Amino acid sequence: MKVEDLIFYQIYPRSFCDGNGDGEGDIRGVLSKVEYLKTLGVNAVWFSPCFESPNKDNGYDIADYRNISPKFGTFAEFENLLRIFHENGIKVVLDFVANHTSTEHEWFQKARESKDNPYRDYYIWRKTPPNDWQSLFGGSAWQYDEKTKEYYLHSFAVEQADLNWENPKVREEMKAIVDFWVDKGVDGFRCDVLDMISKDFEADKNGNGPKLHEYIREIFGRQETENIFTVGECWGTTPENVRLFCAPERRELTTVFNFHHLCVENGRFNAGKPDLREVLQRLSYWQELTQKLGLTATVFLGNHDQPRSVSRFGDEKTYRYESATALGGMVLLHCGVPFIYQGEEIGMINSAHTQISQFRDIESLNYYQANIDKIATEELIKNINANGRDNARQMLPWNEQAVKSWQGDYAHRTQINVEKDLASKRSVFQFYKKLIALRKKYSCFTKGEYRLVELNENYYEFERRYTGERISVLFNFGKRSVHPDKIKGEILLNNYETVAENLQPYQLIVYKNASR
Ligand code: TEU
């Protein structure tokens, strides 16, 4: 399968489907939903980490890279899953967490034993903190370790120690892990915070260091990894960096997730409603840029770290169906590899917690602790409800029956669940299915050129062209109706039943060979 034909669905293993009723997602659950994924039409799945982990950061703290978390299933069950996905034409991409391991990983357990342990240099130790780098989850990134009286670096939780990529042994270990899974038959990797593996102490930067590209080539530029799909999670990308990561002749990555279009709010938790126009403007900028450079882009509006896109960019109260379907159109009709995050296909919205005890995510809990004396509790809860990562981690509601869940039950379960959506006349899932079918039918979506036609306060129009095909996508992203110039043409898709003179709130219309 060609890269441009891939249509991804991200599964967050702990929250996708619970097959044994213990309150956590598992392989049995995933296997019961293969038909669901096939009906939707996706042909690739990215699994967030499903390896052994104490779950301080939900699997992004890996204790054993070669073992499946027993909560998720056995190794044999995983091999079976892989086989079944492949038989059904679905590629499987795993998460590769290369910047850090859990402090429960045996490498770290040994490293912390003594300064001369052979594993000591697998991690980054200093007598005193050499800088004031902060953990992305709050507080200093340097943690004092009693036993050997030195500090180790942890860019995320205290229990996630950063690996020392300067050490060739670490790079060998990482290659062996990649090869282990490639040998098992997985089709690629999503690489967690990949741009952080090379540090730059001199320039005082915890990432995008001078050896970054060299390291990536060392791992993924080999014959063994020639045919796999790789996507690097790179927060601090610049256009130049993206070119370096993705230019095929450099043999680094297939593509990257860059987050410019999702970094539109001021600050992490006290954000306020973001401006969708700004999001679309940035998305459009990256579309044009990757196209100009001949690189593969990714397109996504959510993942397991982001609030629900409908709540964030759409209107979850009055126009949930319309905004969910139109945002789906933004993901599936642009240029590059689209990624649907679980639950987007039924228009899931943010949760509405009322108490801090209902949140699970370490980033949100640390934010709460750090601000409890400064900001009123209601305000803190409001901020976490709007911006926190638990929103994306609610168990996917398959039907309206309440379930036991590590997250607590989804607050909107009775209004929003798969069964109800599928039975509804206004089914978000059915619209996603149509979007995917459209993407598969017209080569201009997979191979075609992207051209921005118009972007103003609440109206976005772009065109995709390939040989004789020309398709226009019109999106009114405001709550007012807008009046684009009169358009004629064959309507391929419309998230309203009618086409009035004005485009209705969150209306998305796709025209073939439109003319004015
Ligand atoms: O995310 C990297 C990252 O920078 C996020 O933690 C981000 O700061 C936060 O979500 C606010 O938007 C990756 C994973 O996707 C995330 O789940 C992990 O917690 C993190 O790395 C550490 O592995």
Side-chain angles (χ1 to χ4, degrees), residues 20-40:
N20 65 3
D22 70 350
E24 298 195 24
D26 47 40
I27 295 183
R28 199 195 299 177
V30 173
L31 285 179
S32 70
K33 300 300 172 193
V34 175
E35 265 322 300
Y36 176 81
L37 297 172
K38 270 181 72 179
T39 309
L40 182 60

Side-chain angles (χ1 to χ4, degrees), residues 12 46 57 60-61 95 97 100 136-137 156 160 190 192-193 196 233 235 268 303-306 361-363 389 393:
Y12 195 67
W46 149 32
D57 185 21
Y60 283 91
D61 46 328
D95 220 300
V97 185
H100 44 264
L136 274 116
F137 295 156
F156 294 89
Q160 289 166 297
R190 173 269 187 185
D192 192 55
V193 287
M196 292 178 77
E233 187 202 23
W235 282 81
R268 179 66 190 94
N303 67 24
H304 62 290
D305 294 332
Q306 305 288 328
D361 180 40
I362 182 169
E363 188 196 25
R389 307 197 299 178
R393 302 171 181 191

Side-chain angles (χ1 to χ4, degrees), residues 158-219:
V158 176
E159 298 86 354
Q160 289 166 297
D162 282 40
L163 284 161
N164 174 20
W165 275 69
E166 298 272 334
N167 181 349
K169 285 194 198 139
V170 166
R171 306 203 295 275
E172 287 308 316
E173 298 271 14
M174 287 301 168
K175 271 183 256 179
I177 290 165
V178 163
D179 292 348
F180 174 84
W181 289 108
V182 171
D183 286 347
K184 292 278 169 252
V186 310
D187 302 289
F189 300 95
R190 173 269 187 185
C191 310
D192 192 55
V193 287
L194 192 66
D195 52 3
M196 292 178 77
I197 61 175
S198 172
K199 320 280 180 196
D200 193 341
F201 284 94
E202 255 165 53
D204 202 21
K205 283 192 327 195
N206 185 3
N208 277 299
K211 304 225 179 96
L212 180 59
H213 296 284
E214 185 186 314
Y215 292 161
I216 295 176
R217 268 200 303 280
E218 192 175 333
I219 303 289

Side-chain angles (χ1 to χ4, degrees), residues 45 62 118 126 266 297 336 383 419:
V45 163
I62 297 178
R126 294 289 186 274
N266 289 325
N383 291 347
E419 211 172 85

